[in-house]
Amino acid sequence: MAIEDILTHLDDEDRERFTQAVSAIGKAFEAQTSVAVQPESIVGLNAVRDYVLTGGEIELDLSAAITELQEDPKVSNALIAAQAKVAEANKIASDTANMSRTERMNYARANGLDKPRPDTTSSMTRNEHDAVLAGLSPIQRMNYARRHGLT
């Protein structure tokens, strides 16, 4: 039986304890790994269940909860993706550390880093971009166009 089903039969203190446990585990996990976890992944953890069902007599075991979360396939995939992003950023930083501006620009072009990232693309239409561009100076227009992939 899922803890969500049991909560309907418990008192308000237990429901509050449940909410606090899910929040505390989520914050601790994000602080340790820099990956935010959906509450649905936290709800079913043994640490949450033990803490809530004992009325708080068993302390909330954050380290066990974090370990259990890391073993969840969805969470572990997110952790791997975050680690890969950090490794890629570190490699770029080390590769370009001693380069001149021109060399860095050539490096960016050669490695496809001169285009907007998919996570920063705007939902604005071309007409909306054009309206913004109309109110900018020539240098600002060029920078705006590059930043938004309009060139």
Side-chain angles (χ1 to χ4, degrees), residues 26-60:
K27 288 177 183 175
F29 189 80
E30 187 170 3
Q32 183 174 336
T33 64
S34 74
V35 173
V37 178
Q38 296 298 321
E40 298 83 36
S41 298
I42 299 171
V43 168
L45 297 177
N46 292 328
V48 172
R49 188 186 66 241
D50 294 347
Y51 178 67
V52 172
L53 294 179
T54 61
E57 289 183 24
I58 294 178
E59 288 291 319
L60 182 60

Side-chain angles (χ1 to χ4, degrees), residues 122-145:
S122 173
S123 61
M124 292 173 58
T125 65
R126 180 60 195 221
N127 288 338
E128 292 169 329
H129 282 298
D130 289 343
V132 171
L133 287 169
L136 300 176
S137 72
I139 291 177
Q140 290 172 326
R141 280 195 300 260
M142 186 172 64
N143 290 335
Y144 182 90

